[in-house]
Amino acid sequence: MWRSSLFLLALPVFAHVVSMSTGELRVDGPLADYELRIPMIEIAQMADPSSILNYIQFEGGHRRSARCADEDGTYVCHASYEFENLVPDRLAVECRFFEVTVPNHVHWLHATRGANSDQEIFDQAFPRSELRFRPPSRMEIFWRQFGLGFARAAMNWIGLLFLVGLAVAAPRSFLPLGCFLTGEAAAILIGPRIPWPLAPRFLESAMALTVAYLAVEILMASDARNLSWIVVVLGVFHGLFVAGFPLPYSVGTGVLQVAVVAALGVGARYLSGSWRRGIAWGLLVAGLGAFALRVTVR
């Protein structure tokens, strides 16, 4: 029972998913209109919320006007831009909303020019990108989104710690990994349907606790079959981290996870009991430390 109490601390996390905003850019010749939609909770700490528009730049364009307002809990900004020349087929964009919201903030930008459209995802790992106003092929769309998911998962250090624990906990069995991916897939399906606004700090706190809980399971020498059922639930918290993204993005994340566990599992098979316990204690300290950091630091 005492082992379950560590996991139960993470239950409030279902109140929030990843910090995210959306944008719509409509280009007409040398002019463009941009609409930003972001939950009020994400900008509550800003003295002047409208200044968030200063953190997105469209190459060659300058802002002519802007107006922002709270619309039922969503902060909506409309801004008009003028370019010196017609917007080219490729438009460079820089978005640094993560500097004034939270470090893991993601901005999903969709742009149209005539019959052509494109979309990009911006975050701390990828603050700059290029919009291409031509019909992209299905393969281009897939590989761009796949690459973003793969790279962002590689920079999610809490998620990587969990994968280390998973490889050490069951180095000779892929059953726990399969259960973990099942839990993630379930979260990806239900995440966009959660009706409540969610604070990203809660999600990261829950992920940190999953690392600590898995470390406890290693110390208790749980076998792969007994570990699998709880890993399904733990996977839900990690799945919420990518919920709402395009399917290729989630596939990229899953491929990285499988590759990491498979690679680490080969070496973990030869670890002695003392090494396994040492790694487990390290994961326990790291998980609880990350949880404390997310809860106390603003």
Side-chain angles (χ1 to χ4, degrees):
M1 181 64 70
W2 68 269
R3 293 160 64 191
S4 300
S5 63
L6 184 65
F7 171 71
L8 290 175
L9 289 173
L11 290 181
V13 120
F14 279 105
H16 206 298
V17 189
V18 171
S19 172
M20 181 180 290
S21 59
T22 60
E24 182 76 24
L25 181 70
R26 292 174 290 274
V27 179
D28 183 11
L31 304 177
D33 292 318
Y34 172 65
E35 179 185 87
L36 166 66
R37 304 183 71 87
I38 182 171
M40 284 297 301
I41 190 174
E42 306 293 350
I43 56 172
Q45 76 285 358
M46 296 181 63
D48 179 15
S50 65
S51 64
I52 193 172
L53 291 173
N54 297 333
Y55 293 85
I56 186 167
Q57 304 292 330
F58 303 100
E59 185 179 46
H62 66 274
R63 193 167 70 240
R64 299 191 306 168
S65 63
R67 66 182 189 278
C68 300
D70 178 6
E71 297 183 5
D72 298 325
T74 299
Y75 196 64
V76 181
C77 290
H78 296 273
S80 62
Y81 290 81
E82 183 174 3
F83 296 81
E84 295 180 359
N85 303 298
L86 294 177
V87 175
D89 289 341
R90 298 187 176 189
L91 176 62
V93 181
E94 180 175 10
C95 180
R96 295 185 172 273
F97 289 163
F98 60 86
E99 292 184 357
V100 290
T101 54
V102 292
N104 71 344
H105 185 82
V106 174
H107 183 59
W108 196 341
L109 176 62
H110 180 263
T112 59
R113 191 188 71 169
N116 297 324
S117 64
D118 196 8
Q119 62 183 16
E120 282 295 341
I121 296 172
F122 300 85
D123 61 7
Q124 189 172 21
F126 297 94
R128 302 179 188 85
S129 192
E130 194 175 65
L131 296 169
R132 302 177 185 181
F133 294 105
R134 60 176 177 79
S137 68
R138 292 184 178 181
M139 288 302 296
E140 282 182 321
I141 294 174
F142 176 87
W143 285 114
R144 284 169 64 186
Q145 295 176 350
F146 178 94
L148 283 172
F150 189 96
R152 194 160 186 257
M155 300 185 68
N156 175 17
W157 66 273
I158 297 179
L160 292 177
L161 285 178
F162 186 87
L163 297 178
V164 171
L166 202 57
V168 172
R172 300 181 184 276
S173 174
F174 276 92
L175 179 60
L177 175 60
C179 292
F180 171 71
L181 295 176
T182 299
E184 277 196 323
I188 290 171
L189 292 175
I190 67 174
R193 296 172 174 81
I194 296 177
W196 310 286
L198 310 172
R201 183 181 303 169
F202 290 159
L203 179 57
E204 292 184 340
S205 299
M207 292 172 63
L209 284 181
T210 65
V211 174
Y213 189 92
L214 186 58
V216 172
E217 292 291 339
I218 298 173
L219 292 171
M220 298 297 294
S222 298
D223 59 38
R225 183 170 298 180
N226 292 333
L227 184 65
S228 297
W229 73 270
I230 189 62
V231 170
V232 174
V233 181
L234 300 183
V236 170
F237 295 99
H238 291 259
L240 288 174
F241 192 73
V242 294
F245 287 93
L247 180 60
Y249 186 101
S250 302
V251 172
T253 300
V255 168
L256 176 80
Q257 292 169 337
V258 172
V260 169
V261 174
L264 294 178
V266 173
R269 294 180 182 182
Y270 303 100
L271 290 176
S272 64
S274 59
W275 270 100
R276 285 166 55 87
R277 288 190 296 272
I279 293 173
W281 279 112
L283 292 173
L284 180 60
V285 171
L288 292 178
F291 172 75
L293 187 64
R294 294 297 185 274
V295 170
T296 57
V297 176
R298 295 184 177 276

